[in-house]
Amino acid sequence: MDQETRWLTRYKEVMAFIEANHRNPSKHRIEEHDMLNWVKANRKQLNAGKMKPSRVEMFNILLELIEKYKRINQYQ
C-alpha cells in the first residue's frame, strides 16, 4: 500500500467516525488516539505549508466538519 492510499484510508476513517458519532476523536479514549494524532499531524503539515496540494482541499473539508462538532463549554 502506498502513502497516498494510506492517507485516503485514514481520511475516510476519520470522516466516517465524526459523521457517525457527531463528535471529534477524544484524547481520553485510547481507541481514538490514532485518529486524533493523524488529524493533529496533518494540521501541523498544513500550517507549515508542507501538505501536498492534492490533499489540502480534502483536509480543509475535514477541518470544517471538526469545527462544526467542536466541544462547547457547557457553563457559558
Side-chain angles (χ1 to χ4, degrees):
M1 188 174 355
D2 66 332
Q3 186 179 19
E4 192 66 27
T5 307
R6 282 193 313 246
W7 192 89
L8 282 171
T9 303
R10 184 65 72 167
Y11 174 80
K12 290 176 184 175
E13 178 185 343
V14 173
M15 285 290 280
F17 175 84
I18 293 173
E19 289 172 350
N21 296 301
H22 302 291
R23 65 179 179 83
N24 297 321
S26 172
K27 67 180 181 181
H28 301 290
R29 296 187 182 196
I30 294 172
E31 62 273 8
E32 298 171 14
H33 276 204
D34 287 341
M35 288 185 282
L36 181 64
N37 288 339
W38 182 86
V39 170
K40 288 180 359 183
N42 278 282
R43 186 181 291 142
K44 191 173 182 178
Q45 290 258 316
L46 179 67
N47 290 340
K50 296 179 181 177
M51 184 175 277
K52 293 181 181 179
S54 60
R55 298 178 181 176
V56 171
E57 186 176 338
M58 291 175 68
F59 195 69
N60 282 331
I61 292 169
L62 177 65
L63 289 177
E64 287 176 17
L65 189 61
I66 287 173
E67 192 63 33
K68 179 180 175 185
Y69 291 114
K70 192 171 185 179
R71 183 186 153 312
I72 300 169
N73 188 338
Q74 63 183 345
Y75 298 110
Q76 288 183 347

